[in-house]
Amino acid sequence: MKKILIFLFILIFSSCGKNENINKSNDSNLKNQSISSESSSNEKKEKKRLEYKHDNIEGYKRDNSIFIDRMLGDYPDNLSSDSDEPYNADELKNLDYNKNIYLSALNIRIPDRCKLYSKDGQYVVDFPKSDFYDLSINIKKLFKDGEKSEVEIKTDLYKFSDKETYNSGIENANVVQKPIVLESEDKKSTYSIIENNKFSYTNIFMATPTNVLKFQIVEDKEKSQFSPYIMADLLSTTYPESEDFNMVAKSFKSFDKKIDLYATEKIDMDGFSFNIPENMKKIQDSESLTVFENQFSGKTINQILISKIKKDDDMDLKKSFNQSQGTQIPPAFISPMGIVKEEMVNDKLFMKSKVRIYTEQFSLEGEKIAFETDDYFVNMILTGPLKNTNKTQILNENIVNSLKFE
């Protein structure tokens, strides 16, 4: 009996030892699997890490010296991609301007996924590498801070921008947009556009209290053409240290069913007439500015602004057109987008450009046209929701085509 008990005891003990070894083996396998899984996950993260062109350009280094932690107000964006991926191409229309840099007494917002590089006192805002775009923004001071007075800077801004535009040093350069002055209550800027076979170079010159900053948006135009959107946002987000930031609201909802394409209601103005949709109502009427708009649930989704400038010896069509480019018409900031074109419409010379209107309640996108009558230079801004640019374009064409002159 004792022998049997001893045998059973040995059998049970040896079985427990085997189970313990099996459990240890299982634990070891689980740990190995966990390490392998973590390693695989880290590899995936490494693969998805954002890459930047200027990391591999000799002489450039990442530079955080001019970043400041001072974000005034929200600037709405329309992003769906993950923060560890490059921007989608369409996202370049409404980026996340969540970083703030400070240079020559000017506050500048740049997109969140961009990196800042410097070389020889100049800066580059580099966008993440992507198969769908090749974009960067060069920033440089035109002279030393304080070398010229604020009055000199503003007075000579056009001269500086003209010189920089026509002496760019860009190979095979073609100036497709001569410098245009943009003047609002709190800042004065100019812009010009250069192209060669591959790239577009959108130049923005901003007068600061101490200097002139040149922003140059460099874009591979064979891949994408979103510089006009970035230009408009740069103009609306930058502000001198002594001024307040312009609050901006944007809606990315589709108002597709609320946009009436049929311009059937005739509007008579002094020397010309045009048609608008019946759902657009006059909300402002004065000698210098008339405004029509269409609202839905308290939101402005279409707007027409008509400004008239009395003819005199110091004014011509181009000057009148430029006068409301980048202008603050309270409470709206009007920002141009790209090239200004000259076209003949109904045997009359028109100037045209894409524009955006930024306000605290809404942001709209469309175009601006200018023409002359017997007594006035007239500027019309025709805009609609950011989400429905195709319908806005059709409506704008219908309104322009309805223009008649006495």
Side-chain angles (χ1 to χ4, degrees):
M1 185 68 179
K2 284 182 180 178
K3 288 180 180 179
I4 293 169
L5 290 172
I6 291 168
F7 176 75
L8 289 171
F9 179 77
I10 291 169
L11 187 65
I12 292 167
F13 182 79
S14 65
S15 174
C16 287
K18 285 179 182 176
N19 287 339
E20 187 177 339
N21 288 334
I22 290 168
N23 288 337
K24 284 181 179 177
S25 176
N26 288 340
D27 288 344
S28 178
N29 287 336
L30 286 171
K31 283 180 182 177
N32 287 336
Q33 288 175 11
S34 176
I35 291 168
S36 175
S37 175
E38 285 178 14
S39 175
S40 174
S41 176
N42 287 335
E43 283 178 14
K44 285 180 182 176
K45 285 181 181 176
E46 287 293 323
K47 287 178 184 176
K48 290 183 74 174
R49 189 172 62 186
L50 294 173
E51 296 179 354
Y52 297 86
K53 181 170 67 175
H54 281 79
D55 276 331
N56 301 310
I57 299 179
E58 187 177 353
Y60 284 94
K61 62 178 182 179
R62 292 196 184 186
D63 190 339
N64 294 327
S65 62
I66 59 172
F67 279 99
I68 55 172
D69 186 15
R70 182 176 60 199
M71 299 303 296
L72 301 178
D74 294 327
Y75 200 86
D77 58 66
N78 189 28
L79 305 184
S80 58
S81 59
D82 292 333
S83 59
D84 56 359
E85 296 177 350
Y87 293 114
N88 293 336
D90 280 346
E91 291 176 342
L92 300 175
K93 292 180 180 179
N94 290 286
L95 288 165
D96 51 347
Y97 294 88
N98 294 330
K99 289 179 179 176
N100 201 164
I101 58 178
Y102 181 76
L103 195 62
S104 298
L106 192 71
N107 292 280
I108 307 153
R109 297 176 82 134
I110 66 172
D112 203 48
R113 296 178 206 174
C114 290
K115 299 293 183 185
L116 188 70
Y117 297 79
S118 65
K119 179 184 178 182
D120 301 331
Q122 299 185 32
Y123 298 90
V124 178
V125 178
D126 201 8
F127 284 71
K129 280 186 177 180
S130 169
D131 293 334
F132 303 105
Y133 59 82
D134 181 357
L135 262 170
S136 59
I137 305 170
N138 301 327
I139 307 173
K140 77 170 185 177
K141 300 179 182 182
L142 293 195
F143 37 82
K144 290 182 180 179
D145 284 343
E147 185 178 314
K148 298 181 185 298
S149 70
E150 191 169 358
V151 173
E152 285 179 294
I153 289 167
K154 289 186 175 181
T155 301
D156 295 335
L157 182 62
Y158 184 88
K159 183 176 71 175
F160 297 141
S161 59
D162 190 67
K163 182 179 177 182
E164 285 279 326
T165 298
Y166 286 95
N167 296 279
S168 64
I170 296 168
E171 190 175 353
N172 299 320
N174 179 30
V175 177
V176 297
Q177 177 61 67
K178 297 177 182 179
I180 289 180
V181 177
L182 314 170
E183 193 160 6
S184 64
E185 291 174 350
D186 62 348
K187 59 188 172 189
K188 184 174 183 179
S189 308
T190 64
Y191 80 95
S192 64
I193 302 172
I194 300 170
E195 289 185 357
N196 59 18
N197 294 335
K198 189 172 177 62
F199 289 93
S200 68
Y201 303 84
T202 300
N203 306 304
I204 304 169
F205 304 89
M206 292 192 188
T208 85
T210 62
N211 214 317
V212 174
L213 292 185
K214 176 185 177 181
F215 299 81
Q216 186 176 73
I217 307 167
V218 184
E219 182 173 23
D220 184 336
K221 62 183 183 180
E222 295 175 3
K223 289 186 174 184
S224 63
Q225 295 184 30
F226 289 99
S227 294
Y229 299 93
I230 296 168
M231 169 187 167
D233 283 341
L234 268 177
L235 286 166
S236 68
T237 56
T238 52
Y239 62 100
E241 178 66 10
S242 58
E243 301 294 335
D244 292 331
F245 168 70
N246 289 318
M247 300 298 291
V248 170
K250 290 183 178 180
S251 172
F252 306 107
K253 294 180 180 178
S254 175
F255 294 97
D256 192 66
K257 295 179 180 178
K258 304 300 176 184
I259 299 174
D260 184 356
L261 298 179
Y262 300 101
T264 57
E265 185 176 339
K266 186 177 179 181
I267 305 296
D268 284 309
M269 304 287 286
D270 187 9
F272 68 100
S273 66
F274 59 94
N275 293 352
I276 65 172
E278 290 183 356
N279 60 5
M280 298 195 78
K281 307 301 179 187
K282 187 186 292 183
I283 64 163
Q284 183 173 337
D285 190 8
S286 66
E287 186 177 351
S288 59
L289 182 65
T290 304
V291 181
F292 299 88
E293 71 176 28
N294 171 24
Q295 283 197 355
F296 174 70
S297 296
K299 291 186 179 295
T300 298
I301 61 174
N302 288 89
Q303 195 169 60
I304 302 173
L305 295 90
I306 302 123
S307 64
K308 295 191 295 185
I309 301 171
K310 194 79 174 173
K311 284 186 172 181
D312 60 40
D313 293 338
D314 295 327
M315 187 62 62
D316 59 24
L317 185 61
K318 287 185 178 180
K319 284 182 181 178
S320 74
F321 184 88
N322 295 346
Q323 198 171 81
S324 59
Q325 291 280 83
T327 300
Q328 187 96 19
I329 298 179
F333 180 82
I334 300 167
S335 185
M337 299 172 67
I339 296 172
V340 177
K341 299 178 181 178
E342 294 187 7
E343 296 179 5
M344 294 299 294
V345 179
N346 297 333
D347 298 322
K348 186 176 282 287
L349 179 63
F350 277 63
M351 296 185 69
K352 290 185 174 184
S353 76
K354 300 292 183 184
V355 292
R356 270 189 172 175
I357 293 178
Y358 300 90
T359 81
E360 290 186 31
Q361 289 78 36
F362 58 86
S363 292
L364 302 174
E365 188 177 308
E367 67 179 341
K368 175 186 170 186
I369 63 171
F371 53 86
E372 63 177 301
T373 65
D374 290 340
D375 300 316
Y376 296 96
F377 294 107
V378 181
N379 288 279
M380 291 181 68
I381 297 171
L382 313 162
T383 56
L386 299 178
K387 195 77 172 178
N388 300 106
T389 51
N390 288 338
K391 275 203 163 186
T392 302
Q393 187 175 347
I394 293 169
L395 175 57
N396 291 349
E397 287 175 2
N398 289 341
I399 294 171
V400 172
N401 290 336
S402 73
L403 276 162
K404 290 183 173 53
F405 300 91
E406 294 179 0

